[in-house]
């Protein structure tokens, strides 16, 4: 029996350090949080505490397989890796010879956030000249919006929330997806700090708040502008800070009269007096801290919402107050040379770029050339991509050769021609940055690969050899790539030694990143952004009225507490804790349609129909419906995914998904 350190690979800001207990037969027996890690501090979420069940699940894919029945049927026969690689290489060569490299496309997801395994496919497809992606399902609008105001992914240190006197959690369920930062806030709470949660429904975090403020989905920028109106009107701003650290305040002043609390109330559903109270609490706080969630960026106003909220600390000087400021992501903590891994220089020239969010459209309608070879790495688009019926139609194409490298027989793998077994993070080397803390981590494998599973990098290394690619990126040892990826490790011998020994390290002094100003073109926080104007966006914060599609309820699809997303669908105990595919609706919304609690109902719009278990609750306001998590279709009553109902429309910036910006209707089953 031994205890070995590894890292959680999943798409979560906490990027936990894990202690895995491994028995003498090489099986993971249990997992616990690393008590020595400065952010994990010994705690793990309910999902990763059961990770041994995921690693050793009887549903793990262990051998390569070739399709033996109709697409989508899940009928496969076992083959060898050599057979699989030969067939894949032959099909690739034929497709490229006939259509050119752009006929090949790889959809990659965030199933594994380790930098080496997550990007292992990129140089291979650059070498081929394959079609590339822009945008993703997660956070590109948040990235763009934040950077227009702040200049880069920098903000307040997550742990500093322990020193705040007012935490505003805006559009984030920290109890489910950022529990370690919430634990730091509990230290501040002991000293009298208060927590305000702004969210369209009363989630687990909102139930812990001192004040919960429900808001109409997508109207966050309006509320932030209403707060600005009050802050300026009542003199609750830091003039010296504004003069020294911000740009465009004079222009901001010109638009704020448009956002009086009464007008903002009509848009947001937040009473005007509550808007005033919120602004006063914020302006009078010693060091207010705003924690922004990704979810509010997944709408047609998403990028502007993030950009506008990020301006608020600039009015009160909070970014330079201990315990104050705001946080979106911590990407600036990890200066890196991604070209070491991705090798864009291998591309034969500029290649076609496709919107990842419009995956179904791409499969069915992109031509000259069409996509005829599809690879899926770290993703499950048959469940997670919007306009899901369109996606599945595309995956059913007989002329589409599909390769899926996976750990389980997911909905997407069922559509594959070749399915290849993938290692879990417990079985391969990787290096992990975080988007919610500032510590770089290395993880060695804690057990041998199960069955014939191969890591992403080992798969693409073998396929590159079959294709005759001899570029060094395909053969260099993982540890060498990791060291070259981070220049600091080359320059700082002590940090390099600590990293190689497995310690969590900081590459840069996060607390100094804003000491001299902001990494924007002006060197200041930008209320007014010339770059936004050049990019075709309003240069000042704004709230835009937009037409709604048909549907009685605004659908939200946040992560589930026990299963997060599709990655944990194979863990039966977690599914049991989550219950059923459930739609949370207000009791009055149900009564109007003759729907009772705890019965199956139909949820529908022009894209399709999905069945859910009705949960009637005052936690959801009138006009809103909430479906937490994305269930594997084999665990649903009608074999349909929630994303049958979501649109592949794009966000206002960044080419992101609008997964929280859809309308549906509901009806009783007849």
């Amino acid at each position: 029996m031994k205890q070995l350190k590894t890292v959680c690979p999943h798409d979560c800001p906490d990027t936990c350090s894990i202690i895995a207990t491994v028995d003498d037969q090489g099986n993971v027996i249990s997992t616990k949080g690393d008590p020595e890690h400065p952010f994990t501090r010994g705690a793990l979420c309910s999902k990763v505490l059961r990770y041994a069940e995921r690693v050793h699940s009887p549903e793990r894919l262990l051998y390569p397989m070739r399709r033996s029945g109709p697409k989508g049927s899940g009928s496969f026969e076992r083959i060898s890796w050599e057979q699989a690689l030969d067939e894949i290489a032959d099909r690739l060569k034929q497709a490229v010879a006939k259509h050119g490299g752009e006929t090949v496309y790889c959809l990659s997801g965030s199933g594994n956030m380790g930098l080496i395994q997550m990007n292992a496919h990129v140089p291979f497809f650059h070498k081929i000249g394959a079609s590339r992606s822009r945008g993703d399902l997660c956070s590109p609008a948040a990235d763009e919006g934040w950077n227009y105001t702040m200049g880069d992914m920098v903000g307040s240190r997550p742990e500093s929330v322990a020193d705040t006197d007012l935490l505003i959690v805006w559009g984030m369920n920290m109890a489910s997806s950022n529990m370690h930062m919430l634990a730091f806030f509990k230290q501040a709470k002991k000293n009298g700090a208060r927590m305000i949660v702004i969210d369209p429904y009363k989630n687990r975090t909102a139930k812990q708040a001192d004040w919960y403020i429900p808001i109409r989905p997508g109207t966050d920028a309006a509320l932030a502008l209403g707060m600005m109106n009050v802050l300026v009107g009542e003199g609750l701003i830091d003039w010296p800070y504004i003069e020294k650290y911000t740009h465009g305040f004079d222009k901001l002043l010109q638009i704020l009269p448009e956002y009086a609390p009464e007008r903002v109330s009509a848009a947001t559903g937040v009473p005007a007096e509550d808007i005033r109270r919120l602004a006063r609490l914020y302006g009078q706080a010693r060091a207010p801290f705003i924690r922004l969630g990704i979810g509010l960026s997944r709408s047609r106003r998403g990028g502007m919402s993030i950009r506008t909220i990020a301006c608020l600390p600039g009015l009160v000087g909070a970014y330079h107050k201990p315990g104050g400021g705001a946080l979106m992501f911590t990407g600036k903590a990890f200066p890196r040379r991604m070209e070491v891994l991705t090798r864009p220089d291998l591309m034969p020239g500029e290649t076609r770029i496709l919107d990842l969010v419009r995956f179904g459209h791409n499969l069915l309608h992109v031509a000259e050339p069409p996509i005829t070879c599809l690879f899926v790495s770290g993703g499950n688009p048959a469940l997670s991509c919007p306009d899901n019926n369109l996606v599945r139609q595309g995956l059913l194409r007989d002329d589409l050769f599909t390769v899926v490298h996976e750990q389980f027989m997911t909905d997407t793998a069922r559509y594959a021609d070749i399915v290849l077994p993938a290692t879990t993070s417990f079985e391969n080397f990787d290096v992990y940055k975080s988007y919610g803390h500032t510590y770089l981590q290395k993880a060695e494998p804690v057990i041998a690969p199960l069955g014939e599973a191969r890591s992403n990098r080992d798969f693409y290394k073998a396929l590159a050899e079959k294709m005759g690619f001899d570029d060094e990126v395909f053969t260099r040892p993982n540890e060498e790539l990791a060291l070259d990826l981070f220049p600091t490790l080359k320059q700082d011998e002590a940090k390099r030694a600590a990293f190689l020994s497995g310690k969590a390290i900081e590459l840069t002094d996060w607390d100094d990143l804003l000491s001299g100003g902001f990494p924007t073109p002006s060197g200041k926080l930008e209320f007014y952004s010339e770059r936004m104007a050049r990019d075709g966006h309003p240069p000042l914060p704004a709230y835009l009225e937009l037409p709604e599609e048909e549907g009685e309820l605004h659908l939200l699809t946040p992560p589930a507490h026990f299963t997060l997303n599709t990655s944990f669908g194979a863990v039966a105990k977690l599914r049991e804790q989550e219950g059923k595919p459930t739609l949370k609706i207000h009791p009055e919304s149900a009564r109007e349609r003759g729907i009772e609690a705890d019965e199956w109902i139909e949820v529908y719009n022009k894209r399709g129909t999905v069945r859910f278990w009705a949960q009637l609750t005052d936690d959801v306001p009138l006009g809103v419906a909430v479906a937490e998590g994305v269930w594997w279709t084999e665990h649903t009553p009608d074999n349909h995914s929630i994303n049958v109902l979501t649109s592949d429309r794009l966000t206002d910036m960044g080419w992101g998904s609008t997964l929280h910006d859809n309308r549906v209707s509901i009806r009783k089953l007849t």
Side-chain angles (χ1 to χ4, degrees):
M1 199 83 71
K2 53 189 174 182
Q3 292 192 327
L4 301 169
K5 187 180 295 188
T6 186
V7 180
C8 177
H10 289 280
D11 190 358
C12 169
D14 289 19
T15 318
C16 292
S17 179
I18 301 170
I19 303 296
T21 299
V22 180
D23 68 16
D24 295 339
Q25 288 72 48
N27 299 309
V28 179
I29 301 302
S30 64
T31 52
K32 65 179 181 179
D34 179 1
E36 296 182 359
H37 189 278
F39 200 74
T40 303
R41 300 194 300 174
L44 289 183
C45 71
S46 57
K47 298 174 285 293
V48 182
L49 280 171
R50 306 198 78 107
Y51 215 74
E53 296 171 42
R54 188 178 187 279
V55 172
H56 295 291
S57 168
E59 298 180 45
R60 277 286 300 273
L61 292 174
L62 299 178
Y63 308 102
M65 293 184 290
R66 178 194 293 120
R67 179 167 61 87
S68 59
K71 282 198 173 187
S73 66
S75 297
F76 293 90
E77 61 183 5
R78 180 176 170 180
I79 58 175
S80 69
W81 266 100
E82 194 69 16
Q83 289 173 299
L85 291 167
D86 283 340
E87 184 168 341
I88 294 168
D90 287 345
R91 293 293 294 266
L92 269 175
K93 290 173 183 176
Q94 293 171 24
V96 172
K98 183 176 181 179
H99 298 290
E102 290 177 338
T103 195
V104 181
Y105 180 65
C106 179
L107 184 141
S108 61
S110 52
N112 183 337
M113 297 290 281
L115 287 174
I116 289 178
Q117 304 302 339
M118 187 179 189
N119 292 283
H121 65 284
V122 180
F124 181 86
F125 292 108
H126 278 167
K127 181 79 172 180
I128 285 177
S131 294
R132 293 175 287 155
S133 290
R134 67 179 178 186
D136 59 51
L137 301 176
C138 188
S139 63
D143 297 342
E144 291 283 312
W146 181 270
N147 288 342
Y148 279 132
T149 297
M150 300 290 290
D152 208 334
M153 279 302 157
V154 64
S156 303
R157 177 180 283 276
E159 298 96 318
S160 71
V161 75
D163 298 317
T164 191
D165 60 333
L166 179 68
L167 171 62
I168 298 179
V169 182
W170 203 319
M172 186 178 204
N173 185 2
M174 295 179 74
S176 294
S177 58
N178 197 195
M179 58 177 272
H180 294 85
M181 186 173 169
L182 189 59
F184 279 99
F185 169 71
K186 289 178 180 177
Q187 298 175 34
K189 193 171 180 66
K190 291 177 182 177
N191 295 321
R194 289 183 288 182
M195 179 169 71
I196 299 171
V197 172
I198 303 170
D199 203 277
Y201 81 109
K202 199 171 188 179
N203 56 39
R204 287 174 180 260
T205 308
K207 291 177 181 179
Q208 300 179 31
D210 297 286
W211 184 21
Y212 163 57
I213 303 175
I215 184 173
R216 287 193 185 116
T219 64
D220 306 274
L223 180 57
L225 284 160
M227 291 175 65
M228 293 182 198
N229 175 288
V230 176
L231 289 168
V232 171
E234 299 189 5
L236 299 173
I237 57 175
D238 187 333
W239 278 104
Y241 186 90
I242 290 169
E243 291 175 358
K244 181 178 181 180
Y245 285 108
T246 74
H247 170 75
F249 180 67
D250 56 334
K251 295 182 175 66
L252 179 68
L253 284 178
Q254 295 172 18
I255 66 162
L256 289 185
E258 302 173 26
Y259 295 97
E262 285 72 21
R263 184 204 166 200
V264 168
S265 177
T268 63
V270 180
E273 197 49 46
D274 282 353
I275 296 170
R276 293 187 177 92
R277 179 190 172 201
L278 174 63
R280 289 166 185 158
L281 287 171
Y282 184 74
Q284 294 167 0
R286 171 184 51 80
F289 194 116
I290 300 176
R291 182 60 166 117
L292 286 86
I294 299 170
L296 65 91
S297 75
R298 295 175 188 151
S299 81
R300 290 169 294 157
R301 305 182 186 94
M304 184 59 84
S305 294
I306 298 292
R307 181 268 197 279
T308 303
I309 296 167
C311 290
L312 280 167
L315 290 178
V316 298
Y319 283 117
H320 286 76
K321 293 178 179 178
L327 180 67
M328 186 78 240
F329 301 128
T330 55
K332 188 70 171 176
F334 306 96
R336 56 201 180 277
R337 298 172 57 236
M338 287 304 297
E339 65 272 14
V340 168
L341 295 178
T342 59
R343 294 295 303 274
D345 60 298
L346 295 180
M347 288 192 296
E350 284 299 311
T351 56
R352 178 172 65 187
I353 299 177
L354 303 174
D355 293 322
L356 184 149
V357 173
R358 306 201 68 208
F359 179 59
H361 169 87
N362 297 338
L363 292 181
L364 290 173
H365 302 300
V366 164
E368 299 180 2
I371 298 170
T372 62
C373 281
L374 171 68
F375 289 70
V376 179
S377 176
N380 192 0
L383 282 184
S384 58
C385 281
D387 208 344
N388 210 241
N389 281 335
L390 201 66
V391 171
R392 290 173 182 257
Q393 289 175 36
L395 291 171
L396 280 169
R397 279 175 40 202
D398 287 331
D399 62 335
L400 178 68
F401 178 68
T402 302
V403 178
V404 176
H405 189 209
E406 249 298 351
Q407 297 163 358
F408 297 93
M409 184 57 71
T410 63
D411 280 63
T412 304
R414 291 178 181 277
Y415 289 92
D417 295 282
I418 300 288
V419 177
L420 301 171
T423 53
T424 68
S425 60
F426 282 40
E427 301 156 65
N428 55 241
F429 175 94
D430 222 323
V431 56
Y432 297 87
K433 68 178 185 66
S434 171
Y435 61 87
H437 64 66
T438 57
Y439 301 96
L440 181 70
Q441 302 173 85
K442 175 174 74 78
E444 300 283 352
V446 299
I447 60 171
L450 299 188
E452 295 179 9
R454 294 189 185 184
S455 70
N456 291 5
R457 186 142 196 270
D458 286 343
F459 164 41
Y460 283 103
K461 175 183 177 180
L463 188 57
E465 186 176 351
K466 288 288 184 182
M467 295 291 290
F469 300 165
D470 58 2
D471 306 270
E472 51 84 30
V473 70
F474 300 116
T475 58
R476 291 188 70 198
N478 288 327
E479 197 167 90
E480 283 187 18
L481 281 175
L483 291 174
D484 281 349
L485 181 60
F486 296 99
T488 304
L489 298 180
K490 290 285 190 180
Q491 301 157 6
D492 191 317
E493 185 175 338
K495 288 184 177 179
R496 181 170 66 255
F499 171 76
L500 291 175
S501 72
K503 293 181 180 178
I505 65 167
E506 290 190 297
L507 294 174
T508 188
D509 190 338
W510 178 262
D511 295 321
D512 283 347
L513 290 179
L514 290 180
S515 59
F518 293 79
T520 58
S522 66
K524 300 181 177 183
L525 181 148
E526 297 197 345
F527 295 125
Y528 182 91
S529 170
E530 285 88 353
R531 189 159 62 95
M532 290 190 78
R534 289 196 301 271
D535 292 346
H537 304 298
L540 287 164
Y543 172 73
L544 303 176
E545 296 286 352
L546 297 173
E548 296 284 1
E549 64 180 4
E550 290 183 7
E552 301 152 335
L553 303 173
H554 190 118
L555 177 66
L556 300 175
T557 59
H561 184 76
F562 292 106
T563 55
L564 185 64
N565 49 36
T566 74
S567 297
F568 289 89
V571 184
K573 292 293 185 182
L574 292 174
R575 291 199 310 272
E576 289 173 14
Q577 287 178 283
E578 202 60 57
K580 321 176 161 64
T582 298
L583 189 78
K584 300 176 187 286
I585 50 176
H586 191 276
E588 190 173 324
S589 297
R591 280 195 296 270
E592 290 172 354
R593 297 158 181 85
I595 292 169
E596 299 178 1
D598 300 331
E599 67 172 334
W600 291 106
I601 62 172
E602 284 189 334
V603 187
Y604 63 97
N605 60 20
K606 63 183 179 181
R607 287 177 286 276
T609 302
V610 183
R611 291 187 179 183
F612 285 98
W613 190 253
Q615 180 183 347
L616 279 51
T617 173
D618 292 329
D619 293 341
V620 176
L622 279 168
V624 173
V626 177
E628 294 177 333
V630 181
W631 288 74
W632 290 15
T633 57
E634 65 187 85
H635 305 137
T636 67
D638 57 355
N639 295 314
H640 286 165
S641 161
I642 179 63
N643 284 313
V644 164
L645 304 170
T646 56
S647 167
D648 66 0
R649 291 173 305 184
L650 300 175
T651 48
D652 52 348
M653 54 188 77
W655 302 284
S657 69
T658 55
L659 293 172
H660 294 323
D661 195 356
N662 297 279
R663 307 287 296 186
V664 296
S665 297
I666 59 176
R667 61 193 170 210
K668 191 178 181 72
L669 280 176
T670 56

